[in-house]
Amino acid sequence: MSAIDKPPAYPQQPAYTPQQPGYPPQQPGYPPQQGYSTTTTIVQQPTVVIAQSPFLENPVSTQCPMCKASIITGTHYVTGTLTWLACFGLCIVGCDLGCCFIPFCIDSLKDVIHTCPNCQAQVGVYRRM
């Protein structure tokens, strides 16, 4: 047999003692056995909370943050982003100059301001956009 035909000689592997599978048993109240340590990792996933405003088109029952009275809000309408977009949209479509101002007369296109009837403080806003 030539040197090419012989398998290479490998060094003898060290003998290992068989171990039990898993972790060694630990008794409660005692520190971990030598060579072992315990680490507890708690991973908390972030939660997303989407707060929806209770203020819509209609008056709502709430507590005024200024005078602390239990109230039903008063509402009034103001020109907002949606009103202006509707006006510009009508201009682009080709309506004449007078028709472009119609959105300023429609309350359902305006933002709603909620106020306290006692102290007249602004309690909330409902924006259409």
Side-chain angles (χ1 to χ4, degrees):
M1 231 179 176
S2 69
I4 296 174
D5 294 336
K6 284 185 169 180
Y10 291 105
Q12 181 69 24
Q13 294 289 326
Y16 292 102
T17 58
Q19 291 183 336
Q20 295 289 333
Y23 294 104
Q26 292 182 357
Q27 295 179 354
Y30 292 100
Q33 295 179 359
Q34 186 177 3
Y36 294 97
S37 65
T38 59
T39 303
T40 303
T41 303
I42 299 173
V43 178
Q44 183 176 0
Q45 296 295 325
T47 56
V48 177
V49 178
I50 300 174
Q52 185 177 1
S53 173
F55 301 107
L56 298 175
E57 289 185 44
N58 300 322
V60 295
S61 177
T62 188
Q63 182 179 11
C64 177
M66 300 302 247
C67 66
K68 306 294 185 211
S70 181
I71 59 165
I72 295 178
T73 60
T75 59
H76 67 277
Y77 297 93
V78 294
T79 302
T81 306
L82 184 61
T83 311
W84 284 103
L85 288 175
C87 175
F88 291 135
L90 289 173
C91 287
I92 291 172
V93 172
C95 291
D96 64 2
L97 191 59
C99 293
C100 293
F101 295 109
I102 291 175
F104 294 98
C105 300
I106 301 173
D107 285 341
S108 62
L109 295 175
K110 295 181 178 182
D111 294 345
V112 182
I113 305 292
H114 290 262
T115 56
C116 174
N118 294 336
C119 65
Q120 305 305 319
Q122 181 176 326
V123 178
V125 178
Y126 172 58
R127 299 196 190 280
R128 306 270 180 193
M129 289 194 79

